Amino acid sequence: MTHRGPVVRHAPGKLFVAGEYAVVQPGTPAILVAVDRQVGVTVAGAGSGDVTVTSDLCPQGARLRRTRDGLTAYDADDEQRARVSLAHVVSALDVMDGLLTERGLTPPALRISVSSGLHTGGTKYGLGSSGAVTVATIAAVTDYCGLDLTPEARFRLAMLATARLDAKSSGGDLAASTWGGWIAYEAPDRIAVLELARRRGIEEVMRAPWPGFGLRRLPPPRGLTLEVGWTGEPVSTGSLVSRLDTGGRADGAGYRDFLTRSTAVVRACVQALERADHRELLHQIRCARQVLTRLDNETGLGIFTDKLTVLCDAAEAVGGAAKPSGAGGGDCGIALLDAGAQTDISQMRARWAAADVVPLELAPADERNMSDER
């Protein structure tokens, strides 16, 4: 196995355009777009020891040693940081160790450092930082060890690493961070992926068909501008998704109806994007807002906050379309408007500012602005 000099790999954050909550069900579609704020992961060799991991959000880092049970922290402080602040990096490293071992290779001693543009002052925007750091870690270790893996293979490794931490995570953020641009995504059955890894190993996870998984690239909506507003209220997506399961709400007739309506909207959005039908796309984004509103009213999840409601109403008041992006409850909302309507965009942003919604200067990220370096 060839070890290169220090390797830096980046992965972009993401925004959900449509299909939130529904996408956690295998085979149910969503649309996501990667954004041009990134997480960077640097991998370098270590002179001694096993693995050290640091990040700009956890500068104390964690020291880890390799055991038969995987990466294990040296002491209680390292364990706390490895399980909380650095959990996704550690899980990705564990998966890569497993792959190298299956190939008869010895995992090298490593120094890992993470820097992120998906937060400000330690407060996350809700742009999928956990997914981006997982994807970037897989890519950096892959390149450092001289492995030749396709984007789908790297995505599958990232999905396995994520599912080990939370089998309810859809992996849509991982797909957007891996492929960039606008994508239609359907989540695999994560329980089946975990079971496959347990029975057959990581190599088989990378090769075997995955029930439910689907991905296709979509053309961007040229002529429309994607505006992003940040509420300043960070939210745990996992906690909101878990609350949907409380009391069996995710198994009831109302939720099944939600899945049907969400799927119809997402498929209509896909058709509108592929036909460059901007009027229909805006209509379907408004429908997507209504689908989430009905889910929120029926479940009491708190998807719509006062700020997110103002964000959406301000966009619709000037002829645009808007909705929460992701789990809601805070984080970001998105708006689509005519790119040439600068007066409308300014009016919308003024209403956002009055409600303490911060416009984020973001653009979609594709292969041309997803940077990597060695």
Side-chain angles (χ1 to χ4, degrees), residues 58 94 201 249 273 359 369:
C58 186
D94 250 334
R249 285 180 293 193
L273 283 165
N369 55 8

Side-chain angles (χ1 to χ4, degrees), residues 246-261:
T246 303
R249 285 180 293 193
D251 297 322
Y255 184 68
R256 291 194 295 272
D257 182 59
F258 161 72
L259 293 179
T260 298
R261 288 181 285 110

Side-chain angles (χ1 to χ4, degrees), residues 19-30 167-171 185-190 211-214 241 244-245 249-252 255-256 258-260 262-263:
E20 301 91 336
Y21 286 100
V23 72
V24 299
Q25 299 298 321
T28 306
K168 293 179 181 177
S169 178
S170 73
Y185 172 77
E186 298 172 18
D189 183 331
R190 282 81 74 200
F213 173 59
V241 172
L244 188 61
D245 290 332
R249 285 180 293 193
D251 297 322
Y255 184 68
R256 291 194 295 272
F258 161 72
L259 293 179
T260 298
S262 178
T263 296

Side-chain angles (χ1 to χ4, degrees), residues 30-34 172 175-177 179-185 215-218:
I31 297 173
L32 300 97
V33 58
S177 292
W179 279 279
W182 291 68
I183 60 169
Y185 172 77
L215 184 136
R216 62 195 286 192
R217 291 187 178 277
L218 298 173

